[in-house]
Amino acid sequence: MRAHTPIAAGWPIAAGLATLTLIAGCVAPPRAEPPPPPPPRVEAPAPAPRPAPLAADWRDWPYTPGSWTYRRDPRGSVASFGTQAALPALTLQCDTGTRQIHLSRTAAAATPMTIRTSSVTRPLSVQPGNTPGTVTATLPASDPLLEAMGFSRGRFVIDQQGQPALVIPSWAEIERVTEDCRG
């Protein structure tokens, strides 16, 4: 019988370890979890288009959206301009008892308004209107400003500090209310 040498004695252990190392190398590494999907891309809404700058000449400004309506009421007659019957942008109301016309517009504050027509530009004092969110200027039915509004070349403008300008078409309803009040 032969004696084992220390190298030969360690051979079966070394061979076993090498085999285990080879086998361990064949095992696939644990799978990594896939990264979570990126959060959905939320796009900010497109900014509202900026209104086109107004031309230097008010006669070239676009009209305020809406149309005129005319009706009779117990005190006289009413012409209203706007897109909603509930709160028009502008109202001319004749009071036949006093022969006055109340010109009302939507506004947050009772600051003076200026009427611009093709022949006249004039400031008017106002007071809070009977309807919340409106202001009113009162004119005698004989005031030439009313005719200037009715016969302005296509449009007239009502300017008031802190409010958008109203660019109103000069339609027959303005003159109907004026004539009703002059009686």
Side-chain angles (χ1 to χ4, degrees), residues 58-59 116-121 148 151-156:
W58 64 267
R59 291 171 287 204
R116 296 180 197 285
T117 73
S118 56
S119 61
V120 175
T121 297
F151 292 111
S152 188
R153 293 188 180 154
R155 69 191 76 207
F156 63 95

Side-chain angles (χ1 to χ4, degrees), residues 40-171:
R41 188 173 185 177
V42 177
E43 293 189 28
R50 293 177 58 159
L54 295 176
D57 188 346
W58 64 267
R59 291 171 287 204
D60 295 328
W61 294 355
Y63 288 109
T64 298
S67 62
W68 281 103
T69 59
Y70 171 87
R71 65 181 167 79
R72 302 285 293 171
D73 78 356
R75 293 174 55 191
S77 58
V78 178
S80 298
F81 181 84
T83 56
Q84 300 176 351
L87 189 58
L90 177 67
T91 301
L92 279 78
Q93 182 173 20
C94 164
D95 183 344
T96 54
T98 63
R99 301 277 182 225
Q100 292 182 325
I101 294 181
H102 305 284
L103 187 139
S104 301
R105 74 159 288 173
T106 54
T111 57
M113 69 171 87
T114 300
I115 309 292
R116 296 180 197 285
T117 73
S118 56
S119 61
V120 175
T121 297
R122 192 164 99 200
L124 297 175
S125 298
V126 299
Q127 62 272 355
N130 292 335
T131 304
T134 65
V135 295
T136 301
T138 302
L139 302 168
S142 60
D143 193 317
L145 180 60
L146 295 166
E147 297 222 347
M149 290 165 54
F151 292 111
S152 188
R153 293 188 180 154
R155 69 191 76 207
F156 63 95
V157 173
I158 300 177
D159 280 322
Q160 188 178 17
Q161 184 179 357
Q163 301 299 315
L166 297 178
V167 182
I168 308 294
S170 296
W171 287 4

